[in-house]
Amino acid sequence: MLAPLIKSITRDVDPMAAIPGSVDGTIETLRGGNYLANRSLATALYLSLSLGRPLFLEGEAGVGKTEVAKVLSETLGRRLLRLQCYEGLDVTTAVYEWNYPRQMVEIRMSEAAGDRDRDTLESDIFGDQFLIKRPLLQSLEPQADGPPILLIDELDRTDEPFEAYLLEVLSDFQITIPEIGTVTADEPPIVVITSNRTREIHDALKRRCFYHWVGFPNAERELEILQVKAPEAPAGLSSEVVGFVHRLRDMDLFKLPGIAETIDWAHALTQLDCMSLDPETVNDTLGAILKYQDDIQRIQGSEANRILTEVKAELAAAPA
């Protein structure tokens, strides 16, 4: 079995920062983590935080869905528990499992000592010290810095049975462990769920969440994002990068470049000391924004030169 792709992340920030009290406050909170959110996303997040319901973010890969949870962890000073979903994810890698080797050692030691009867031993080996807690169970436990951020990332990669299992967790913020009973959160975690929509998530789960589709930003906002995320890039180069990427998104490509690819391309071009796009540099660095060879082959050469010519002409005609 593949090792569980699970991360637990903590950050050095001021603990217990206040939950934003308005949509504008939510925008400023995200901006404090260098995340430039539009008002509709900030509204969905504000309602999720204020009403204690999970936030379900759906959209193309690379548009900033996962980053919302990371920024919340940073700006609110909360622990981030990340569950990276994949096909075959089950309870033992997402919720909990018993430490069977340690239990067997305890049983052998007890048998050798003869100091406990069967019922007492059974009660002992199913104690908390033998329970390996995974992110979903950890998220229900009290935290010194307040309820954690639970990121369930790329839920669409899991199987439907696991999605169904989440219903109890997201409805009542509780988990039933047969040997112990029901574990319920004193304070619900802040839950962010993401999906790249490789398959549809069941309505029963969506009904338990505030839903928001995270789309590609317009050129003006993406340029603003680039100025924050890649401030070392020359202003003219950033404008050309955004213009080029937006034209790619109007094409019928296998995988459209996301905001993450725009930022990566700007960083790569800056590393190459590029002050302005030229056909050769574009052809050499297309792998920063296009991740499939068929897409690269389609754009390389004359098509890239055509797009670049249009972008430069548009920028030259724009008011200073």
Side-chain angles (χ1 to χ4, degrees):
M1 178 183 292
L2 291 173
L5 304 178
I6 298 172
K7 300 179 182 178
S8 175
I9 303 171
T10 56
R11 301 174 184 269
D12 286 329
V13 293
D14 293 334
M16 291 297 290
I19 296 293
S22 65
V23 175
D24 289 335
T26 304
I27 292 173
E28 290 306 311
T29 295
L30 292 175
R31 186 179 288 271
N34 289 335
Y35 190 100
L36 306 183
N38 59 33
R39 193 167 188 84
S40 59
L41 171 57
T43 300
L45 178 56
Y46 166 69
L47 291 172
S48 170
L49 293 172
S50 59
L51 298 178
R53 292 181 60 185
L55 177 64
F56 188 97
L57 299 177
E58 200 167 42
E60 298 286 346
V63 294
K65 304 184 297 297
T66 300
E67 193 69 14
V68 170
K70 293 180 178 179
V71 169
L72 280 179
S73 172
E74 178 183 345
T75 56
L76 298 182
R78 307 293 180 88
R79 185 184 183 192
L80 175 61
L81 295 167
R82 178 173 180 173
L83 177 61
Q84 182 63 55
C85 298
Y86 56 88
E87 186 177 354
L89 181 67
D90 59 13
V91 171
T92 60
T93 50
V95 190
Y96 74 94
E97 66 176 320
W98 292 105
N99 190 334
Y100 294 114
R102 187 176 173 188
Q103 286 176 320
M104 290 303 300
V105 170
E106 187 74 11
I107 292 171
R108 297 290 181 243
M109 291 176 63
S110 179
E111 289 176 344
D115 58 351
R116 284 178 287 185
D117 59 35
R118 184 184 183 92
D119 291 339
T120 302
L121 178 59
E122 183 177 349
S123 175
D124 289 345
I125 65 172
F126 286 109
D128 192 68
Q129 69 271 28
F130 296 99
L131 186 63
I132 301 174
K133 300 173 183 178
R134 303 303 189 192
L136 290 183
L137 184 56
Q138 291 177 40
S139 72
L140 303 185
E141 296 184 315
Q143 305 284 333
D145 51 1
I149 311 295
L150 173 61
L151 170 61
I152 303 175
D153 208 14
E154 297 184 329
L155 179 60
D156 54 315
R157 293 183 181 273
T158 63
D159 304 314
E160 291 187 7
F162 180 76
E163 181 185 327
Y165 178 85
L166 286 177
L167 296 180
E168 178 188 16
V169 181
L170 300 181
S171 294
D172 304 315
F173 293 105
Q174 66 180 28
I175 289 171
T176 300
I177 302 175
E179 299 84 355
I180 295 177
T182 301
V183 178
T184 304
D186 293 332
E187 292 185 80
I190 297 171
V191 182
V192 177
I193 304 171
T194 74
S195 168
N196 294 336
R197 208 177 185 181
T198 57
R199 70 171 178 86
E200 288 294 336
I201 302 299
H202 198 278
D203 288 346
L205 190 141
K206 286 186 176 181
R207 283 198 301 269
R208 288 159 171 79
C209 309
F210 279 105
Y211 175 87
H212 182 76
W213 174 267
V214 184
F216 295 118
N218 60 33
E220 182 180 358
R221 178 166 292 276
E222 190 155 12
L223 183 57
E224 187 180 359
I225 292 171
L226 207 54
Q227 290 167 348
V228 170
K229 294 293 189 178
E232 70 282 1
L237 177 63
S238 294
S239 297
E240 291 176 354
V241 164
V242 170
F244 196 98
V245 169
H246 272 254
R247 278 170 171 75
L248 291 181
R249 290 180 188 151
D250 290 334
M251 301 178 68
D252 185 21
L253 299 176
F254 188 79
K255 168 65 176 67
L256 301 179
I259 303 170
E261 284 73 36
T262 305
I263 296 169
D264 285 346
W265 198 26
H267 284 308
L269 293 168
T270 303
Q271 186 66 29
L272 294 173
D273 296 322
C274 180
M275 301 299 293
S276 179
L277 289 179
D278 60 77
E280 182 179 1
T281 301
V282 170
N283 287 326
D284 290 343
T285 58
L286 276 176
I289 49 175
L290 299 176
K291 305 304 179 180
Y292 288 87
Q293 180 60 19
D294 289 347
D295 289 343
I296 292 175
Q297 287 183 330
R298 177 177 175 182
I299 300 302
Q300 268 182 335
S302 60
E303 186 65 13
N305 188 49
R306 180 191 67 79
I307 295 172
L308 184 57
T309 300
E310 291 180 357
V311 169
K312 286 182 176 290
E314 182 178 301
L315 292 174

